[in-house]
Amino acid sequence: MPVIRQLTMPKDANALGTIFGGVILAQIDQAAAIEAHRHHVGRVVTVAMDSIEFKQPVLIGDLVSYFTTTRKVGRTSVTIDVHVWAQRQFAESGDFIPVTDACVTMVAVDEDCKPIPLNRPQKQG
Ligand SMILES: CC(C)(COP(=O)(O)OP(=O)(O)OC[C@H]1O[C@@H](n2cnc3c(N)ncnc32)[C@H](O)[C@@H]1OP(=O)(O)O)[C@@H](O)C(=O)NCCC(=O)NCCS
């Protein structure tokens, strides 16, 4: 199941009718944070996001889905893969197309933004 699904609106688009890349990046960041909270209750911040290539444009009226998987759990950080798909013209039940993939590293922090150990132990097996 996607952690986020968003129907794109005209306010998110440029003059050509395609969605701003920054809108998708913001959602990738949020999707990674949601996944990170499976490993930590408390504050998490983004320390790194790998280079991103947009394979196909997202258009007004597309339904964009953000899927996450945990790639690596460290001491204070968790690295997450985010996969973004769009359903073209959702209301018309259009095709699903891959939009982009990202790898995001989130760090658990205290109130002073200092790294702290993740507080949800991994389940064995
Ligand atoms: C994230 C932050 C707290 C890390 O502080 P730091 O003193 O560099 O922390 P450390 O060097 O101890 O690293 C902490 C963890 O982050 C990981 N990390 C640090 N830099 C990284 C990078 N560039 N890429 C991937 N992981 C990284 C470390 O491997 C470590 O993970 P581990 O404990 O699981 O092994 C600090 O850099 C920061 O506050 N950055 C700004 C975060 C932010 O505001 N993000 C939103 C942008 S507007």
Side-chain angles (χ1 to χ4, degrees), residues 57-58 62-65 84-88 95-99:
V58 177
D62 289 355
L63 181 67
V64 187
S65 298
V84 185
W85 287 75
Q87 185 179 13
R88 281 274 183 257
D95 294 337
F96 287 87
I97 56 157
V99 173

Side-chain angles (χ1 to χ4, degrees), residues 38-84:
R38 293 181 56 230
H39 306 279
H40 184 75
V41 179
R43 297 175 186 217
V44 294
V45 291
T46 310
V47 70
M49 189 183 285
D50 68 1
S51 64
I52 302 228
E53 176 191 353
F54 290 102
K55 298 166 188 162
Q56 304 207 47
V58 177
L59 310 178
I60 296 168
D62 289 355
L63 181 67
V64 187
S65 298
Y66 299 78
F67 298 86
T68 57
T69 53
T70 295
R71 177 189 289 205
K72 180 183 154 203
V73 179
R75 192 180 77 85
T76 66
S77 71
V78 54
T79 302
I80 293 145
D81 288 315
V82 183
H83 307 285
V84 185

